[in-house]
Amino acid sequence: MNPEQPEPEAEGAEKAEGRPIGRRVLLGTLGLGALGVVTAPALQNGMEGFLGAVSGKDPTGLTGLLPNGGGFRYYSVTASVPNKNAQNYRLTVDGLVDKPTSYTLADLRALPQTRLVKDVQCVTGWRVPGTPFEGVRLSRLLDAAGVRAKAGAVRFTCFDGAYTESLTLDQARRSDILVALRMQDKDLGHDHGGPVRLYVAPMYFYKSAKWLSGITVTEHVKPGYWEDRGYDVDAWVGKSNGRDDDPTS
């Protein structure tokens, strides 16, 4: 994923500003991440700030395998990610819709908010229990845009310039899928995918794309960044990727 994400997160081919990492590199060095669950909280909190600072200088993404604050680990698939704030953030909804829309951060905050408290499960094995997320139900944005009859999927793009994800339209309309603005009762910070990220509660966390910038309604599902590198497209926790973890939703 991207910084923080309990999974891989970002998309595509190499770019000048960053070099995406592959599944083999990630899984081959997971021994570093084993420390994350047992490290004292105070040390983890300090590590979070440190990793956020150095990740932009690490084109390998291996800083993502070190422990991070709050039980999460810091993942990034590009060498750097631009910062967005209330002044310059935009989320576009387009594709097979009647009313393409662009939302500011203030627009999203003004919509009805939903709060979910679920476990977060990484496909690499670690889990963060009882994690609150708050935001706008994805289904609300889709309904406002007017999804056309031929639509069957939703594709997500991110302002790191690399990461993508997809859901079927039925999956995207679930009540436990959010366009999230808050996590752990705080506004989403940059390192956790802020100011806006996707949160797909019932699936492994690589589906919860960070630094969300685009929602495009499509006819068919297109595999995302990590699916192109071996992960399952339908990533239900405990029922995919060869894992039997307890469900999260």
Side-chain angles (χ1 to χ4, degrees):
M1 308 177 186
N2 305 6
E4 164 265 316
Q5 212 153 318
E7 232 84 306
E9 180 211 316
E11 159 212 352
E14 290 190 9
K15 299 189 175 238
E17 70 272 14
R19 177 176 299 173
I21 60 172
R23 187 186 191 206
R24 185 175 300 175
V25 174
L26 178 68
L27 296 180
T29 49
L30 281 179
L32 292 171
L35 298 172
V37 176
V38 298
T39 305
L43 180 57
Q44 284 185 324
N45 290 338
M47 183 69 78
E48 181 172 0
F50 168 74
L51 290 174
V54 302
S55 63
K57 301 179 178 65
D58 175 21
T60 69
L62 294 181
T63 49
L65 304 177
L66 295 171
N68 192 11
F72 286 86
R73 295 173 193 167
Y74 194 103
Y75 291 103
S76 180
V77 299
T78 61
S80 62
V81 181
N83 281 271
K84 300 286 185 179
N85 54 39
Q87 285 68 50
N88 60 12
Y89 178 78
R90 296 294 183 274
L91 174 64
T92 59
V93 181
D94 57 18
L96 296 176
V97 298
D98 295 327
K99 295 175 286 186
T101 308
S102 177
Y103 291 92
T104 66
L105 192 55
D107 292 335
L108 293 171
R109 287 172 173 166
L111 294 173
Q113 306 289 301
T114 296
R115 187 174 191 266
L116 301 174
V117 182
K118 308 284 185 180
D119 291 358
V120 166
Q121 177 68 52
C122 179
V123 76
T124 57
W126 57 272
R127 191 178 186 103
V128 182
T131 304
F133 280 87
E134 297 173 61
V136 181
R137 282 181 175 156
L138 176 59
S139 60
R140 177 178 293 275
L141 300 184
L142 296 175
D143 289 345
V147 175
R148 295 178 182 169
K150 67 183 296 186
V154 183
R155 181 168 171 81
F156 307 95
T157 50
C158 306
F159 62 80
D160 68 350
Y163 205 73
T164 61
E165 256 306 337
S166 289
L167 295 170
T168 68
L169 189 57
D170 285 344
Q171 291 167 355
R173 289 193 178 281
R174 287 177 57 110
S175 61
D176 53 2
I177 312 298
L178 301 181
V179 171
L181 311 177
R182 291 172 60 81
M183 171 183 154
Q184 295 176 317
D185 298 317
K186 298 180 289 186
D187 290 345
L188 270 169
H190 177 77
D191 293 346
H192 290 284
V196 178
R197 72 178 297 162
L198 187 66
Y199 176 53
V200 183
M203 295 189 180
Y204 286 103
F205 208 35
Y206 63 87
K207 301 295 289 191
S208 297
K210 294 159 103 178
W211 305 308
L212 185 65
S213 61
I215 298 170
T216 300
V217 179
T218 61
E219 194 168 353
H220 304 291
V221 167
K222 181 177 180 180
Y225 181 88
W226 285 107
E227 286 106 13
D228 283 340
R229 290 157 175 77
Y231 287 107
D232 288 350
V233 173
D234 290 321
W236 305 106
V237 173
K239 298 180 180 180
S240 66
N241 296 288
R243 298 188 58 85
D244 60 357
D245 306 287
D246 291 336
T248 54
S249 187

